[in-house]
């Protein structure tokens, strides 16, 4: 895919929306005891990305740039997940660090699988 002004604007527009959505989840979900906001965006993002991929198999390259690279790229927070886990680990919260890895890795894969099934169900 070429780096064009249109492609850059598609990614930027999607990224702006994804970042605002990510910020909003962070304001709504209490993460004072555990990084639940990070987990929430990761599971929602995993589900929706998979759902859209499988429900709309012929999705255009431009739509992929806007949604997948832009919106979901800014919305999901794998880098924040790794930072949260590292912080828990070095704060001596080994159990929470392991739970965080299990929830984000295991259940986000589950979310993606469920999104695939939902997408295929929508297709009939």
């Amino acid at each position: 895919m070429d780096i064009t002004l249109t492609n850059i604007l598609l990614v930027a527009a999607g990224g702006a929306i994804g970042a605002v959505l990510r910020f909003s989840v962070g304001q709504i979900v209490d993460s004072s005891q555990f990084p639940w906001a990070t987990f929430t965006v990761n599971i929602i993002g995993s589900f929706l990305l998979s759902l859209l991929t499988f429900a709309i198999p012929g999705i255009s390259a431009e739509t992929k740039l806007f949604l997948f690279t832009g919106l979901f790229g800014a919305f999901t927070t794998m880098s924040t997940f790794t930072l949260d886990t590292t912080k828990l680990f070095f704060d001596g919260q080994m159990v929470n660090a392991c739970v965080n890895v299990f929830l984000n890795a295991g259940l986000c894969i589950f979310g993606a699988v469920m999104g695939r099934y939902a997408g295929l169900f929508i297709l009939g």
Side-chain angles (χ1 to χ4, degrees), residues 67-91:
L67 286 176
F68 298 172
T69 305
L71 193 144
F72 288 115
F75 179 68
T76 59
T77 55
M78 197 60 173
S79 58
T80 306
F81 153 69
T82 57
L83 180 62
D84 288 342
T85 303
T86 301
K87 186 173 183 304
L88 289 169
F89 178 80
F90 282 99
D91 286 349

Side-chain angles (χ1 to χ4, degrees), residues 20-63:
V20 170
L21 290 172
R22 169 67 184 97
F23 170 77
S24 299
V25 171
Q27 298 303 300
I28 295 167
V29 177
D30 178 20
S31 293
S32 60
Q33 300 298 312
F34 187 81
W36 289 113
T38 303
F39 171 71
T40 300
V41 297
N42 284 340
I43 190 77
I44 290 170
S46 297
F47 174 80
L48 291 176
L49 184 62
S50 185
L51 170 67
L52 293 174
T53 299
F54 291 100
I56 311 169
I59 196 164
S60 72
E62 292 78 15
T63 302

